[in-house]
Amino acid sequence: MTSVFDLAPGTPVVPVVVIEDAADAVPLARALVAGGLPLIEVTLRTPAALDAVRAIAAEVPEAVVGAGTVVSAAGVADAVGAGARFLVSPGWTGRLLGAMRESGVPFLPGVSTASEVVALLEQGVDAMKFFPAEAAGGVPYLRSLAGPLPLARFCPTGGVSLASAPAYLTLPNVGCVGGTWMLPPDALAARDWGRVETLAREAAGLR
């Protein structure tokens, strides 16, 4: 199966989006794509999330929209049914992992310990979300994992910022980072898509 890291090669940052109003989904996605960030994770944290995924999938073909905060087999089915092209979970269980495998789309199960990484490698999964990145040890922790577990590749998410992202991106076991800094709440509240595009372009230039 194609890895999430191969969906938009060279893209350093995945915007992690929380959408309260589905009407904002398309202009927000267009701003991110225009800024050079086509891989967009819409978190399933709000009632509008699935409608947002559906709208982006239908109206912004340049975007590669995925669903984040996937925590159940039902969530997997709902997300893929809405048009999600990849899935991201904060953690994983055997049942959730099985549902993500059966979905047919690339996925990033969440890990925060070496044991979880080893367990996924045993299952043939080498692409993972490292979460919560900063709280779980950040750059030093991932650097330490690269030696004994070189096959695992990560998308660190959780507390990653414009300032800290470059250090993550230099690591050999990091394919991209996830973040929200290009989506400041005041810009979203004002529907200032031009500012979002500018911040996205800055993030896209990190690699």
Side-chain angles (χ1 to χ4, degrees), residues 18-111:
V18 179
I19 295 181
E20 301 289 347
D21 185 344
D24 292 338
V26 168
L28 174 56
R30 286 176 175 157
L32 292 171
V33 169
L37 299 180
L39 210 60
I40 301 170
E41 176 189 335
V42 177
T43 61
L44 302 185
R45 300 181 191 177
T46 68
L50 288 174
D51 284 338
V53 171
R54 197 171 288 113
I56 295 170
E59 300 183 44
V60 192
E62 318 94 282
V64 181
V65 64
T69 321
V70 178
V71 295
S72 68
V76 169
D78 289 344
V80 174
R85 293 172 58 186
F86 65 95
L87 305 168
V88 184
S89 69
W92 66 279
T93 64
R95 183 177 180 187
L96 179 58
L97 185 65
M100 290 192 290
R101 280 186 185 278
E102 292 170 9
S103 73
V105 302
F107 56 90
L108 290 173
V111 298

Side-chain angles (χ1 to χ4, degrees), residues 92-164:
W92 66 279
T93 64
R95 183 177 180 187
L96 179 58
L97 185 65
M100 290 192 290
R101 280 186 185 278
E102 292 170 9
S103 73
V105 302
F107 56 90
L108 290 173
V111 298
S112 59
T113 70
S115 294
E116 292 169 322
V117 175
V118 171
L120 282 177
L121 290 173
E122 283 186 340
Q123 297 281 340
V125 177
D126 59 10
M128 310 170 196
K129 170 180 177 172
F130 180 58
F131 175 83
E134 288 291 285
V139 170
Y141 190 88
L142 283 182
R143 183 182 293 116
S144 297
L145 291 184
L149 300 169
L151 296 181
R153 294 186 73 205
F154 302 96
C155 176
T157 305
V160 180
S161 66
L162 178 63
S164 63

Side-chain angles (χ1 to χ4, degrees), residues 13-17 32 37-42 177-180 182-183:
V13 179
V14 179
V16 180
V17 183
L32 292 171
L37 299 180
L39 210 60
I40 301 170
E41 176 189 335
V42 177
V177 301
T180 62
M182 72 297 299
L183 303 161

